[in-house]
Amino acid sequence: MMAEDFDRILDECIDRINSGDSLADCLSDYPAYSEKLKPLLQSMSDVQKTYTFTPSADTKRAARQKFHAALGKRQQMTPVLSFFKVIPRSAVWATVAVLVLAVVGTLVIQSVLNAPELVPSPDGNFAFLISDEPSDINDFENFDVTILRVELQAAGSKERLEFVPEVETVDLTRLQGDEFQEIWRGHVPAGQYSHIHIYIGEVKGKLGLTGQTIYVKVPGDVVHMPIPFEITVDMVTIYTFDITVVEAGNSGTYILKLRLNESGAWQEQKLL
Amino acid sequence: MNKGNHKNVSTIDEYEIRLTGLYEEYYDKIARYVYVHIGDREEAEDIAGEVFLKALKSLKSYREQGVPMQGWLFRIAHNLTVDYLRKMDKRRSAPIDSVVLLGNDDPVDTAEKNIEFERVTEAMKQLTTEQREVITLRFFGGFTSKEVGGILGKGDGAVREMQRAAIEKLRGTMGVQK
């Protein structure tokens, strides 16, 4: 018996059983192979029985509601597209012309000022995480850090690639210790990278004791991470940006502190 | 703004409709797929819900390219599962080892189920990562070998071979334990 034939027959039986056919039916169709097929299909059945369960109806309903709410929120944005239908045609062309000029102008300026933007993708080879250490963060009820964009700088070059986080604002009070938040995942060209530049927007926290909102200024609004790392095609590179909030003495002034030792990249096998 | 990633509104609308249509059938399948990997039903259900939210958010990055949308959902499920296991690993716990099935049934029956669960889980742990993916996608995702090949980037012949080797290994391990 050719191994390939057996693989094919086993495969067919698995398909049939998945579609509701019985093990016995499949064995009776292949009597010459049944002695070898039976224990394997029995093992398949054991594995399926062990892990098959019916998810809780309540959890599924709640998840469905969340999904439909998110869907509804997306669809509410669509009416903006019908704006042009309600204004005169000449006005439309004038508006379009202005918009085209504005867009072209913006693109020209962007191409000079900005690095090429990377595309997010759930099966990308690069993920960017934010984490935090338990510290003076406990003084806060919430502490929001907004990341405007992140630039990756290739080693030995000034060339940079940029992405805009899918999750722009993270609450550091929720990311203490081993907790982290993935803010972007996507495809990044393979190669050696020397720096990551993180552009920080608003940083503010609400003090638990007084309810007062504290704003924190990050010098230059950018954090430069001088940790070299490699991105490959077949592995997922996970980069963690670990920051914490500390009070300067007992001054009531808080500063954002980078934890270089806890920051940096590691790689995981990319399976799918 | 990335131009290569633009899709017109009707394509996105169509994807939204397809994704919504997949919800009822694939929520359960994804929950089971995740359960095999993490050994916690409640967490598996939460992750299944998260898969659809993440998919909705990432619809713009979905490309057909031979992998059906349901295969893409399992890719997302895989990534979320890896994230979850990474978190658990950082907390120094081994989810798949420490699982005990809880039930209101007969204690003898529950004990037997726990033993069976441990037996199968131990056998699953002996598989290579790729073999485990093939088994979970075939047994719980309901994909054909060709579709699994599309998801994993392998030929269907290679998937069939991996599948047979994986089941033989499962059989060997489970047989020894019995």
Side-chain angles (χ1 to χ4, degrees), chain B residues 20-88:
Chain B
T20 309
L22 292 173
Y23 192 91
E24 291 309 317
E25 185 183 352
Y26 279 88
Y27 175 91
D28 290 14
K29 287 183 176 178
I30 290 170
R32 286 179 201 127
Y33 165 88
V34 177
Y35 177 48
V36 175
H37 289 280
I38 70 172
D40 183 320
R41 286 185 187 181
E42 286 179 13
E43 294 283 358
E45 290 174 32
D46 287 346
I47 291 174
E50 228 178 291
V51 166
F52 282 89
L53 290 176
K54 182 115 184 165
L56 190 60
K57 204 173 166 191
S58 310
L59 267 187
K60 270 204 277 187
S61 71
Y62 172 64
R63 293 173 188 83
E64 303 234 50
Q65 293 178 349
V67 179
M69 186 176 272
Q70 43 272 52
W72 182 64
L73 290 176
F74 276 82
R75 282 184 174 177
I76 297 174
H78 169 81
N79 288 333
L80 291 176
T81 302
V82 169
D83 286 349
Y84 173 86
L85 290 173
R86 193 193 303 135
K87 270 187 195 173
M88 295 302 286

Side-chain angles (χ1 to χ4, degrees), chain A residues 101-170:
Chain A
L101 286 174
V103 169
V104 168
T106 307
L107 286 176
V108 169
I109 291 166
Q110 278 187 341
S111 67
V112 174
L113 295 179
N114 292 351
E117 189 178 320
L118 297 161
V119 187
S121 165
D123 59 348
N125 62 341
F126 183 76
F128 193 78
L129 318 180
I130 305 280
S131 187
D132 180 29
E133 162 190 63
S135 57
D136 293 332
I137 192 73
N138 291 324
D139 295 354
F140 291 89
E141 216 174 276
N142 57 51
F143 194 92
D144 292 338
V145 177
T146 300
I147 311 284
L148 300 174
R149 67 177 199 277
V150 176
E151 290 179 357
L152 315 182
Q153 184 174 345
S157 157
K158 287 192 174 175
E159 192 191 333
R160 294 182 184 187
L161 299 167
E162 98 170 32
F163 63 82
V164 175
E166 292 172 280
V167 178
E168 287 175 356
T169 301
V170 292

Side-chain angles (χ1 to χ4, degrees), chain B residues 84-85 87-98:
Chain B
Y84 173 86
L85 290 173
K87 270 187 195 173
M88 295 302 286
D89 193 40
K90 280 186 95 177
R91 288 174 188 158
R92 305 273 186 273
S93 72
I96 217 159
D97 284 337
S98 58

